[in-house]
Amino acid sequence: MRRTRPRRRFHTDRIVLARRARYLRVVGCGPDRLDPAIRRRLSHGALANTTPWDCGTAACGICRDPTTAGQRRRRAERSWRDDWGMERW
């Protein structure tokens, strides 16, 4: 299926609505009682790219999972080097 502009927009809207609903469910209040700064974080453009709990720092250990791709790759390389008896560099 071709990735047309309306189809991309539909899926982006679907993801944004799910992220906004999850944030409101966790916080436990309605969208009308939110602070204006939080409303900006829950805007369509902000939620289309990141989750509401993401601070935007790539190496943040609080809002990012410590087992992200870079560490996972290093761990995998260390494991196969140990299995083959090769030195670590």
PDB file of all heavy atoms in Angstrom, residues 45-80:
ATOM      1  N   GLY A  45       1.596  18.894  17.500  1.00  0.00           N
ATOM      2  CA  GLY A  45       2.962  18.867  16.987  1.00  0.00           C
ATOM      3  C   GLY A  45       3.953  18.256  17.961  1.00  0.00           C
ATOM      4  O   GLY A  45       4.887  17.565  17.566  1.00  0.00           O
ATOM      5  N   ALA A  46       3.748  18.517  19.248  1.00  0.00           N
ATOM      6  CA  ALA A  46       4.664  17.966  20.240  1.00  0.00           C
ATOM      7  C   ALA A  46       4.479  16.462  20.390  1.00  0.00           C
ATOM      8  O   ALA A  46       5.454  15.716  20.518  1.00  0.00           O
ATOM      9  CB  ALA A  46       4.452  18.653  21.584  1.00  0.00           C
ATOM     10  N   LEU A  47       3.245  16.005  20.380  1.00  0.00           N
ATOM     11  CA  LEU A  47       2.990  14.580  20.569  1.00  0.00           C
ATOM     12  C   LEU A  47       3.194  13.754  19.308  1.00  0.00           C
ATOM     13  O   LEU A  47       3.255  12.537  19.369  1.00  0.00           O
ATOM     14  CB  LEU A  47       1.567  14.362  21.089  1.00  0.00           C
ATOM     15  CG  LEU A  47       1.330  14.805  22.525  1.00  0.00           C
ATOM     16  CD1 LEU A  47      -0.115  14.545  22.899  1.00  0.00           C
ATOM     17  CD2 LEU A  47       2.258  14.102  23.465  1.00  0.00           C
ATOM     18  N   ALA A  48       3.283  14.413  18.157  1.00  0.00           N
ATOM     19  CA  ALA A  48       3.520  13.666  16.922  1.00  0.00           C
ATOM     20  C   ALA A  48       4.940  13.128  16.874  1.00  0.00           C
ATOM     21  O   ALA A  48       5.201  12.129  16.211  1.00  0.00           O
ATOM     22  CB  ALA A  48       3.254  14.553  15.712  1.00  0.00           C
ATOM     23  N   ASN A  49       5.865  13.778  17.590  1.00  0.00           N
ATOM     24  CA  ASN A  49       7.266  13.378  17.522  1.00  0.00           C
ATOM     25  C   ASN A  49       7.759  12.655  18.763  1.00  0.00           C
ATOM     26  O   ASN A  49       8.617  11.792  18.666  1.00  0.00           O
ATOM     27  CB  ASN A  49       8.145  14.602  17.288  1.00  0.00           C
ATOM     28  CG  ASN A  49       7.822  15.274  15.987  1.00  0.00           C
ATOM     29  OD1 ASN A  49       7.514  14.602  15.018  1.00  0.00           O
ATOM     30  ND2 ASN A  49       7.861  16.584  15.960  1.00  0.00           N
ATOM     31  N   THR A  50       7.272  13.025  19.951  1.00  0.00           N
ATOM     32  CA  THR A  50       7.781  12.443  21.181  1.00  0.00           C
ATOM     33  C   THR A  50       6.633  12.122  22.122  1.00  0.00           C
ATOM     34  O   THR A  50       5.513  12.605  21.963  1.00  0.00           O
ATOM     35  CB  THR A  50       8.731  13.411  21.907  1.00  0.00           C
ATOM     36  OG1 THR A  50       8.007  14.604  22.201  1.00  0.00           O
ATOM     37  CG2 THR A  50       9.950  13.722  21.092  1.00  0.00           C
ATOM     38  N   THR A  51       6.937  11.332  23.138  1.00  0.00           N
ATOM     39  CA  THR A  51       5.941  11.065  24.169  1.00  0.00           C
ATOM     40  C   THR A  51       5.913  12.228  25.144  1.00  0.00           C
ATOM     41  O   THR A  51       6.870  13.003  25.216  1.00  0.00           O
ATOM     42  CB  THR A  51       6.282   9.768  24.933  1.00  0.00           C
ATOM     43  OG1 THR A  51       7.514   9.956  25.611  1.00  0.00           O
ATOM     44  CG2 THR A  51       6.382   8.583  23.995  1.00  0.00           C
ATOM     45  N   PRO A  52       4.854  12.395  25.927  1.00  0.00           N
ATOM     46  CA  PRO A  52       4.797  13.529  26.839  1.00  0.00           C
ATOM     47  C   PRO A  52       5.818  13.459  27.972  1.00  0.00           C
ATOM     48  O   PRO A  52       6.146  14.465  28.575  1.00  0.00           O
ATOM     49  CB  PRO A  52       3.384  13.496  27.395  1.00  0.00           C
ATOM     50  CG  PRO A  52       2.735  12.297  26.889  1.00  0.00           C
ATOM     51  CD  PRO A  52       3.608  11.665  25.879  1.00  0.00           C
ATOM     52  N   TRP A  53       6.367  12.291  28.263  1.00  0.00           N
ATOM     53  CA  TRP A  53       7.333  12.150  29.343  1.00  0.00           C
ATOM     54  C   TRP A  53       8.767  12.309  28.872  1.00  0.00           C
ATOM     55  O   TRP A  53       9.691  12.256  29.659  1.00  0.00           O
ATOM     56  CB  TRP A  53       7.172  10.794  30.021  1.00  0.00           C
ATOM     57  CG  TRP A  53       5.879  10.697  30.737  1.00  0.00           C
ATOM     58  CD1 TRP A  53       5.583  11.210  31.965  1.00  0.00           C
ATOM     59  CD2 TRP A  53       4.687  10.080  30.279  1.00  0.00           C
ATOM     60  NE1 TRP A  53       4.276  10.935  32.281  1.00  0.00           N
ATOM     61  CE2 TRP A  53       3.707  10.238  31.269  1.00  0.00           C
ATOM     62  CE3 TRP A  53       4.347   9.396  29.117  1.00  0.00           C
ATOM     63  CZ2 TRP A  53       2.419   9.744  31.138  1.00  0.00           C
ATOM     64  CZ3 TRP A  53       3.069   8.909  28.991  1.00  0.00           C
ATOM     65  CH2 TRP A  53       2.126   9.084  30.000  1.00  0.00           C
ATOM     66  N   ASP A  54       8.976  12.496  27.591  1.00  0.00           N
ATOM     67  CA  ASP A  54      10.314  12.602  27.036  1.00  0.00           C
ATOM     68  C   ASP A  54      10.816  14.030  27.202  1.00  0.00           C
ATOM     69  O   ASP A  54      10.148  14.984  26.816  1.00  0.00           O
ATOM     70  CB  ASP A  54      10.289  12.222  25.564  1.00  0.00           C
ATOM     71  CG  ASP A  54      11.667  12.105  24.965  1.00  0.00           C
ATOM     72  OD1 ASP A  54      12.639  12.184  25.719  1.00  0.00           O
ATOM     73  OD2 ASP A  54      11.744  11.925  23.747  1.00  0.00           O
ATOM     74  N   CYS A  55      12.030  14.188  27.772  1.00  0.00           N
ATOM     75  CA  CYS A  55      12.579  15.529  27.998  1.00  0.00           C
ATOM     76  C   CYS A  55      13.289  16.067  26.766  1.00  0.00           C
ATOM     77  O   CYS A  55      13.545  17.249  26.677  1.00  0.00           O
ATOM     78  CB  CYS A  55      13.523  15.524  29.194  1.00  0.00           C
ATOM     79  SG  CYS A  55      15.072  14.662  28.896  1.00  0.00           S
ATOM     80  N   GLY A  56      13.641  15.217  25.824  1.00  0.00           N
ATOM     81  CA  GLY A  56      14.308  15.648  24.611  1.00  0.00           C
ATOM     82  C   GLY A  56      15.806  15.449  24.621  1.00  0.00           C
ATOM     83  O   GLY A  56      16.465  15.632  23.602  1.00  0.00           O
ATOM     84  N   THR A  57      16.386  15.098  25.744  1.00  0.00           N
ATOM     85  CA  THR A  57      17.813  14.849  25.826  1.00  0.00           C
ATOM     86  C   THR A  57      18.084  13.403  25.422  1.00  0.00           C
ATOM     87  O   THR A  57      17.490  12.485  25.973  1.00  0.00           O
ATOM     88  CB  THR A  57      18.320  15.091  27.260  1.00  0.00           C
ATOM     89  OG1 THR A  57      17.943  16.400  27.652  1.00  0.00           O
ATOM     90  CG2 THR A  57      19.819  14.934  27.332  1.00  0.00           C
ATOM     91  N   ALA A  58      18.994  13.218  24.482  1.00  0.00           N
ATOM     92  CA  ALA A  58      19.216  11.881  23.944  1.00  0.00           C
ATOM     93  C   ALA A  58      19.816  10.921  24.964  1.00  0.00           C
ATOM     94  O   ALA A  58      19.505   9.742  24.961  1.00  0.00           O
ATOM     95  CB  ALA A  58      20.117  11.965  22.721  1.00  0.00           C
ATOM     96  N   ALA A  59      20.675  11.402  25.838  1.00  0.00           N
ATOM     97  CA  ALA A  59      21.351  10.521  26.785  1.00  0.00           C
ATOM     98  C   ALA A  59      20.752  10.612  28.186  1.00  0.00           C
ATOM     99  O   ALA A  59      21.434  10.320  29.165  1.00  0.00           O
ATOM    100  CB  ALA A  59      22.835  10.860  26.834  1.00  0.00           C
ATOM    101  N   CYS A  60      19.513  10.987  28.308  1.00  0.00           N
ATOM    102  CA  CYS A  60      18.889  11.127  29.621  1.00  0.00           C
ATOM    103  C   CYS A  60      18.628   9.741  30.217  1.00  0.00           C
ATOM    104  O   CYS A  60      18.023   8.885  29.588  1.00  0.00           O
ATOM    105  CB  CYS A  60      17.587  11.897  29.510  1.00  0.00           C
ATOM    106  SG  CYS A  60      16.760  12.127  31.083  1.00  0.00           S
ATOM    107  N   GLY A  61      19.082   9.522  31.422  1.00  0.00           N
ATOM    108  CA  GLY A  61      18.892   8.229  32.064  1.00  0.00           C
ATOM    109  C   GLY A  61      17.588   8.110  32.801  1.00  0.00           C
ATOM    110  O   GLY A  61      17.230   7.033  33.272  1.00  0.00           O
ATOM    111  N   ILE A  62      16.846   9.208  32.916  1.00  0.00           N
ATOM    112  CA  ILE A  62      15.582   9.176  33.650  1.00  0.00           C
ATOM    113  C   ILE A  62      14.416   8.847  32.721  1.00  0.00           C
ATOM    114  O   ILE A  62      13.630   7.941  32.982  1.00  0.00           O
ATOM    115  CB  ILE A  62      15.349  10.517  34.364  1.00  0.00           C
ATOM    116  CG1 ILE A  62      16.439  10.721  35.407  1.00  0.00           C
ATOM    117  CG2 ILE A  62      13.973  10.555  35.004  1.00  0.00           C
ATOM    118  CD1 ILE A  62      16.431  12.077  36.032  1.00  0.00           C
ATOM    119  N   CYS A  63      14.300   9.579  31.624  1.00  0.00           N
ATOM    120  CA  CYS A  63      13.142   9.364  30.753  1.00  0.00           C
ATOM    121  C   CYS A  63      13.433   8.411  29.604  1.00  0.00           C
ATOM    122  O   CYS A  63      12.531   8.062  28.854  1.00  0.00           O
ATOM    123  CB  CYS A  63      12.616  10.692  30.220  1.00  0.00           C
ATOM    124  SG  CYS A  63      13.796  11.585  29.226  1.00  0.00           S
ATOM    125  N   ARG A  64      14.688   7.976  29.434  1.00  0.00           N
ATOM    126  CA  ARG A  64      15.021   7.003  28.400  1.00  0.00           C
ATOM    127  C   ARG A  64      15.360   5.679  29.056  1.00  0.00           C
ATOM    128  O   ARG A  64      15.956   5.634  30.124  1.00  0.00           O
ATOM    129  CB  ARG A  64      16.227   7.466  27.577  1.00  0.00           C
ATOM    130  CG  ARG A  64      16.055   8.807  26.919  1.00  0.00           C
ATOM    131  CD  ARG A  64      15.101   8.696  25.754  1.00  0.00           C
ATOM    132  NE  ARG A  64      14.824  10.007  25.205  1.00  0.00           N
ATOM    133  CZ  ARG A  64      15.213  10.407  24.017  1.00  0.00           C
ATOM    134  NH1 ARG A  64      15.886   9.622  23.242  1.00  0.00           N
ATOM    135  NH2 ARG A  64      14.900  11.610  23.595  1.00  0.00           N
ATOM    136  N   ASP A  65      15.019   4.621  28.384  1.00  0.00           N
ATOM    137  CA  ASP A  65      15.328   3.289  28.882  1.00  0.00           C
ATOM    138  C   ASP A  65      16.839   3.070  28.826  1.00  0.00           C
ATOM    139  O   ASP A  65      17.458   3.301  27.790  1.00  0.00           O
ATOM    140  CB  ASP A  65      14.612   2.255  28.022  1.00  0.00           C
ATOM    141  CG  ASP A  65      14.771   0.858  28.545  1.00  0.00           C
ATOM    142  OD1 ASP A  65      15.123   0.704  29.726  1.00  0.00           O
ATOM    143  OD2 ASP A  65      14.534  -0.085  27.774  1.00  0.00           O
ATOM    144  N   PRO A  66      17.479   2.635  29.907  1.00  0.00           N
ATOM    145  CA  PRO A  66      18.931   2.457  29.857  1.00  0.00           C
ATOM    146  C   PRO A  66      19.377   1.333  28.938  1.00  0.00           C
ATOM    147  O   PRO A  66      20.549   1.247  28.598  1.00  0.00           O
ATOM    148  CB  PRO A  66      19.301   2.149  31.310  1.00  0.00           C
ATOM    149  CG  PRO A  66      18.065   1.689  31.950  1.00  0.00           C
ATOM    150  CD  PRO A  66      16.938   2.351  31.215  1.00  0.00           C
ATOM    151  N   THR A  67      18.482   0.478  28.526  1.00  0.00           N
ATOM    152  CA  THR A  67      18.854  -0.594  27.610  1.00  0.00           C
ATOM    153  C   THR A  67      18.500  -0.206  26.182  1.00  0.00           C
ATOM    154  O   THR A  67      17.953  -0.994  25.424  1.00  0.00           O
ATOM    155  CB  THR A  67      18.134  -1.898  27.984  1.00  0.00           C
ATOM    156  OG1 THR A  67      16.728  -1.674  27.928  1.00  0.00           O
ATOM    157  CG2 THR A  67      18.531  -2.360  29.350  1.00  0.00           C
ATOM    158  N   THR A  68      18.811   1.032  25.802  1.00  0.00           N
ATOM    159  CA  THR A  68      18.512   1.498  24.457  1.00  0.00           C
ATOM    160  C   THR A  68      19.443   0.845  23.455  1.00  0.00           C
ATOM    161  O   THR A  68      20.330   0.078  23.807  1.00  0.00           O
ATOM    162  CB  THR A  68      18.634   3.024  24.384  1.00  0.00           C
ATOM    163  OG1 THR A  68      19.919   3.391  24.858  1.00  0.00           O
ATOM    164  CG2 THR A  68      17.564   3.700  25.197  1.00  0.00           C
ATOM    165  N   ALA A  69      19.278   1.196  22.209  1.00  0.00           N
ATOM    166  CA  ALA A  69      19.946   0.488  21.116  1.00  0.00           C
ATOM    167  C   ALA A  69      21.465   0.504  21.239  1.00  0.00           C
ATOM    168  O   ALA A  69      22.118  -0.502  20.993  1.00  0.00           O
ATOM    169  CB  ALA A  69      19.527   1.086  19.788  1.00  0.00           C
ATOM    170  N   GLY A  70      22.067   1.623  21.606  1.00  0.00           N
ATOM    171  CA  GLY A  70      23.526   1.687  21.689  1.00  0.00           C
ATOM    172  C   GLY A  70      24.086   0.734  22.721  1.00  0.00           C
ATOM    173  O   GLY A  70      25.051   0.014  22.470  1.00  0.00           O
ATOM    174  N   GLN A  71      23.492   0.717  23.894  1.00  0.00           N
ATOM    175  CA  GLN A  71      23.965  -0.181  24.937  1.00  0.00           C
ATOM    176  C   GLN A  71      23.659  -1.629  24.592  1.00  0.00           C
ATOM    177  O   GLN A  71      24.431  -2.518  24.906  1.00  0.00           O
ATOM    178  CB  GLN A  71      23.343   0.198  26.275  1.00  0.00           C
ATOM    179  CG  GLN A  71      23.813   1.541  26.769  1.00  0.00           C
ATOM    180  CD  GLN A  71      23.133   1.941  28.047  1.00  0.00           C
ATOM    181  OE1 GLN A  71      22.230   1.252  28.515  1.00  0.00           O
ATOM    182  NE2 GLN A  71      23.535   3.059  28.610  1.00  0.00           N
ATOM    183  N   ARG A  72      22.540  -1.853  23.936  1.00  0.00           N
ATOM    184  CA  ARG A  72      22.177  -3.209  23.536  1.00  0.00           C
ATOM    185  C   ARG A  72      23.181  -3.746  22.512  1.00  0.00           C
ATOM    186  O   ARG A  72      23.602  -4.897  22.579  1.00  0.00           O
ATOM    187  CB  ARG A  72      20.769  -3.207  22.956  1.00  0.00           C
ATOM    188  CG  ARG A  72      20.105  -4.541  22.973  1.00  0.00           C
ATOM    189  CD  ARG A  72      18.655  -4.477  22.544  1.00  0.00           C
ATOM    190  NE  ARG A  72      17.962  -3.327  23.086  1.00  0.00           N
ATOM    191  CZ  ARG A  72      17.208  -2.500  22.362  1.00  0.00           C
ATOM    192  NH1 ARG A  72      17.050  -2.710  21.080  1.00  0.00           N
ATOM    193  NH2 ARG A  72      16.604  -1.475  22.907  1.00  0.00           N
ATOM    194  N   ARG A  73      23.589  -2.889  21.559  1.00  0.00           N
ATOM    195  CA  ARG A  73      24.577  -3.310  20.566  1.00  0.00           C
ATOM    196  C   ARG A  73      25.919  -3.620  21.214  1.00  0.00           C
ATOM    197  O   ARG A  73      26.554  -4.610  20.890  1.00  0.00           O
ATOM    198  CB  ARG A  73      24.748  -2.221  19.503  1.00  0.00           C
ATOM    199  CG  ARG A  73      23.674  -2.207  18.454  1.00  0.00           C
ATOM    200  CD  ARG A  73      24.078  -1.312  17.306  1.00  0.00           C
ATOM    201  NE  ARG A  73      24.330   0.057  17.703  1.00  0.00           N
ATOM    202  CZ  ARG A  73      23.412   1.013  17.736  1.00  0.00           C
ATOM    203  NH1 ARG A  73      22.191   0.749  17.397  1.00  0.00           N
ATOM    204  NH2 ARG A  73      23.738   2.242  18.090  1.00  0.00           N
ATOM    205  N   ARG A  74      26.349  -2.756  22.148  1.00  0.00           N
ATOM    206  CA  ARG A  74      27.627  -3.007  22.831  1.00  0.00           C
ATOM    207  C   ARG A  74      27.579  -4.301  23.635  1.00  0.00           C
ATOM    208  O   ARG A  74      28.531  -5.073  23.651  1.00  0.00           O
ATOM    209  CB  ARG A  74      27.969  -1.830  23.736  1.00  0.00           C
ATOM    210  CG  ARG A  74      28.504  -0.629  22.974  1.00  0.00           C
ATOM    211  CD  ARG A  74      29.105   0.392  23.912  1.00  0.00           C
ATOM    212  NE  ARG A  74      28.146   0.960  24.836  1.00  0.00           N
ATOM    213  CZ  ARG A  74      27.359   2.002  24.579  1.00  0.00           C
ATOM    214  NH1 ARG A  74      27.433   2.584  23.402  1.00  0.00           N
ATOM    215  NH2 ARG A  74      26.529   2.466  25.479  1.00  0.00           N
ATOM    216  N   ARG A  75      26.446  -4.542  24.306  1.00  0.00           N
ATOM    217  CA  ARG A  75      26.314  -5.765  25.092  1.00  0.00           C
ATOM    218  C   ARG A  75      26.339  -6.988  24.181  1.00  0.00           C
ATOM    219  O   ARG A  75      26.969  -7.999  24.492  1.00  0.00           O
ATOM    220  CB  ARG A  75      25.009  -5.729  25.890  1.00  0.00           C
ATOM    221  CG  ARG A  75      24.931  -6.812  26.933  1.00  0.00           C
ATOM    222  CD  ARG A  75      23.651  -6.762  27.739  1.00  0.00           C
ATOM    223  NE  ARG A  75      23.263  -5.443  28.158  1.00  0.00           N
ATOM    224  CZ  ARG A  75      22.133  -4.814  27.787  1.00  0.00           C
ATOM    225  NH1 ARG A  75      21.292  -5.407  26.981  1.00  0.00           N
ATOM    226  NH2 ARG A  75      21.847  -3.618  28.214  1.00  0.00           N
ATOM    227  N   ALA A  76      25.684  -6.901  23.021  1.00  0.00           N
ATOM    228  CA  ALA A  76      25.686  -8.027  22.085  1.00  0.00           C
ATOM    229  C   ALA A  76      27.090  -8.281  21.547  1.00  0.00           C
ATOM    230  O   ALA A  76      27.526  -9.434  21.427  1.00  0.00           O
ATOM    231  CB  ALA A  76      24.720  -7.753  20.939  1.00  0.00           C
ATOM    232  N   GLU A  77      27.809  -7.203  21.247  1.00  0.00           N
ATOM    233  CA  GLU A  77      29.174  -7.390  20.734  1.00  0.00           C
ATOM    234  C   GLU A  77      30.080  -7.984  21.798  1.00  0.00           C
ATOM    235  O   GLU A  77      30.890  -8.866  21.508  1.00  0.00           O
ATOM    236  CB  GLU A  77      29.744  -6.056  20.248  1.00  0.00           C
ATOM    237  CG  GLU A  77      31.142  -6.226  19.712  1.00  0.00           C
ATOM    238  CD  GLU A  77      31.531  -5.120  18.760  1.00  0.00           C
ATOM    239  OE1 GLU A  77      30.649  -4.401  18.281  1.00  0.00           O
ATOM    240  OE2 GLU A  77      32.729  -5.011  18.503  1.00  0.00           O
ATOM    241  N   ARG A  78      29.937  -7.530  23.043  1.00  0.00           N
ATOM    242  CA  ARG A  78      30.739  -8.100  24.115  1.00  0.00           C
ATOM    243  C   ARG A  78      30.436  -9.578  24.289  1.00  0.00           C
ATOM    244  O   ARG A  78      31.340 -10.382  24.515  1.00  0.00           O
ATOM    245  CB  ARG A  78      30.462  -7.365  25.430  1.00  0.00           C
ATOM    246  CG  ARG A  78      31.413  -6.208  25.645  1.00  0.00           C
ATOM    247  CD  ARG A  78      31.164  -5.582  26.976  1.00  0.00           C
ATOM    248  NE  ARG A  78      30.324  -4.424  26.713  1.00  0.00           N
ATOM    249  CZ  ARG A  78      29.347  -3.990  27.477  1.00  0.00           C
ATOM    250  NH1 ARG A  78      29.055  -4.584  28.585  1.00  0.00           N
ATOM    251  NH2 ARG A  78      28.639  -2.939  27.140  1.00  0.00           N
ATOM    252  N   SER A  79      29.156  -9.938  24.175  1.00  0.00           N
ATOM    253  CA  SER A  79      28.804 -11.343  24.400  1.00  0.00           C
ATOM    254  C   SER A  79      29.390 -12.249  23.315  1.00  0.00           C
ATOM    255  O   SER A  79      29.905 -13.321  23.617  1.00  0.00           O
ATOM    256  CB  SER A  79      27.292 -11.506  24.487  1.00  0.00           C
ATOM    257  OG  SER A  79      26.700 -11.284  23.233  1.00  0.00           O
ATOM    258  N   TRP A  80      29.312 -11.830  22.038  1.00  0.00           N
ATOM    259  CA  TRP A  80      29.865 -12.721  21.020  1.00  0.00           C
ATOM    260  C   TRP A  80      31.387 -12.737  21.074  1.00  0.00           C
ATOM    261  O   TRP A  80      32.009 -13.744  20.772  1.00  0.00           O
ATOM    262  CB  TRP A  80      29.344 -12.427  19.620  1.00  0.00           C
ATOM    263  CG  TRP A  80      29.887 -11.230  18.897  1.00  0.00           C
ATOM    264  CD1 TRP A  80      29.297 -10.020  18.756  1.00  0.00           C
ATOM    265  CD2 TRP A  80      31.128 -11.148  18.177  1.00  0.00           C
ATOM    266  NE1 TRP A  80      30.072  -9.175  18.022  1.00  0.00           N
ATOM    267  CE2 TRP A  80      31.214  -9.848  17.645  1.00  0.00           C
ATOM    268  CE3 TRP A  80      32.175 -12.021  17.941  1.00  0.00           C
ATOM    269  CZ2 TRP A  80      32.287  -9.410  16.897  1.00  0.00           C
ATOM    270  CZ3 TRP A  80      33.255 -11.581  17.190  1.00  0.00           C
ATOM    271  CH2 TRP A  80      33.304 -10.293  16.676  1.00  0.00           C
TER     272      TRP A  80
END
